[in-house]
Amino acid sequence: MTLKLQMLGTGSAFAKTHYNNNALLDSGEAKLFIDFGTTAPLALHHMGLPITDLDAIIITHIHADHVGGLEELGFRMSLIHGRKPVLYVAEALVEPLWEQTLKGGMYQKGMIERMGDIFEVRPLVPDQATDLVPGIRVELIPTKHIPGKDSYSLFINERLFYSADMTFNPELLTKLVQERGCRAILHEVQLLGEGAVHTTLDELLSLPPELQQMIHLMHYGDEIESFRGCTGEMRILEQQRIYDVEQELEA
Ligand SMILES: Nc1ccn([C@@H]2O[C@@H]3COP(=O)(O)O[C@H]3[C@H]2O)c(=O)n1
Ligand SMILES: [Zn+2]
Ligand SMILES: [Zn+2]
């Protein structure tokens, strides 16, 4: 079975030249979205993909560039197609995702009073691999982002690491590669400024070359063009290009 990855976007939260950093994983048997930010519906429209063509969504954390498109997705699936999208989310995020993010736009007395009225919610336990859809197994790994705001990176099919927004964690990356068989790392990068809530390019450049060779950079700012050739051994992920995970990302 061949796993394919297509980023809906590879931009940071405030990027204007790229869409939000959201992904589509296709196992050949099922399609899984990783995050569904504010620009996800527009990105799908430009890609010529119907918003309804999905089997499930998994959410890493509740910033708008990762969940801002869920309201449109939920309404359209419900109103036009009469379907509830399957929504995987860490158990600790179920309540905040509804109470702090979606309820404001989606609440409707007697109709939509809880998240389960619009999504088929499947809570996930961190540090425990779960088969989400056929061909895609994911383990949530809690990683640091904003104090008091839970955020979960993903370890996919025991071989692909996908960073949620996270601060630099070289120990985790080293452990995944040396002890857990990780073969490729999709990592957010902050190109300019201090890395208070994200991992900076300078931090990633401090990693040994053999680790850098496994890294594909994503969630970058509009300045990315001026950084081409300055990312060490690390490659820059392109939005909307379809990657064969084994052949192109693990190579
Ligand atoms: N303490 C914070 C909180 C937020 N931010 C910015 O807001 C963005 C929210 O989405 P993000 O992708 O996590 O990136 C965050 C920072 O750019 C930030 O820079 N510092
Ligand atoms: Zn983000
Ligand atoms: Zn974030």
Side-chain angles (χ1 to χ4, degrees):
M1 198 183 321
T2 314
L3 187 63
K4 300 253 169 62
L5 171 97
Q6 187 175 27
M7 301 299 295
L8 274 58
T10 49
S12 65
F14 309 146
K16 298 294 171 270
T17 55
H18 292 80
Y19 295 105
N20 294 155
N21 197 84
N22 308 154
L24 172 58
L25 272 181
D26 187 347
S27 70
E29 289 181 78
K31 290 184 177 141
L32 173 77
F33 284 118
I34 301 174
D35 289 329
F36 207 81
T38 310
T39 65
L42 187 61
L44 286 173
H45 176 73
H46 283 168
M47 290 156 75
L49 296 179
I51 196 169
T52 49
D53 189 11
L54 77 158
D55 295 283
I57 309 147
I58 184 168
I59 295 305
T60 61
H61 68 293
I62 61 173
H63 273 143
D65 54 322
H66 302 265
V67 297
L70 287 179
E71 178 176 317
E72 177 173 338
L73 175 69
F75 275 140
R76 284 178 64 185
M77 289 288 269
S78 165
L79 297 170
I80 303 168
H81 304 280
R83 278 173 56 199
K84 284 185 187 177
V86 173
L87 183 63
Y88 288 100
V89 57
E91 52 191 4
L93 288 182
V94 173
E95 202 210 335
L97 177 58
W98 175 247
E99 292 293 333
Q100 299 172 13
T101 300
L102 296 177
K103 187 177 176 181
M106 302 199 85
Y107 179 84
Q108 192 173 332
K109 199 170 182 351
M111 290 282 289
I112 308 171
E113 299 198 339
R114 53 193 66 80
M115 199 150 66
D117 290 331
I118 210 90
F119 294 100
E120 188 183 320
V121 183
R122 299 195 186 160
L124 289 174
V125 178
D127 301 313
Q128 193 175 294
T130 307
D131 292 310
L132 303 191
V133 293
I136 305 178
R137 186 171 173 81
V138 173
E139 174 185 330
L140 292 181
I141 300 179
T143 41
K144 283 195 184 139
H145 180 32
I146 302 278
K149 218 170 171 59
D150 290 326
S151 183
Y152 301 88
S153 295
L154 313 178
F155 193 37
I156 300 161
N157 289 356
E158 315 273 331
R159 57 199 294 162
L160 180 66
F161 178 73
Y162 183 103
S163 81
D165 297 349
M166 61 183 265
T167 52
F168 190 42
N169 191 341
E171 297 81 14
L172 173 65
L173 301 179
T174 305
K175 187 177 168 195
L176 285 166
V177 170
Q178 292 185 353
E179 297 174 26
R180 302 219 37 209
C182 179
R183 300 175 195 203
I185 296 167
L186 307 186
H187 209 296
E188 55 153 333
V189 62
Q190 181 180 312
L191 299 169
L192 301 169
E194 296 286 308
V197 301
H198 288 293
T199 299
T200 65
L201 177 59
D202 285 343
E203 287 171 325
L204 290 170
L205 284 169
S206 73
L207 292 168
E210 59 274 18
L211 211 48
Q212 289 187 36
Q213 280 166 6
M214 304 176 74
I215 295 179
H216 301 262
L217 300 172
M218 59 181 189
H219 201 293
Y220 41 74
D222 288 340
E223 323 75 34
I224 189 66
E225 290 311 319
S226 58
F227 281 85
R228 289 199 187 273
C230 309
T231 60
E233 301 290 322
M234 298 176 282
R235 288 166 275 181
I236 298 170
L237 209 55
E238 289 173 36
Q239 69 178 18
Q240 300 185 5
R241 172 174 159 187
I242 300 173
Y243 292 91
D244 180 308
V245 171
E246 196 179 332
Q247 298 295 321
E248 295 176 274
L249 300 180
E250 296 179 1

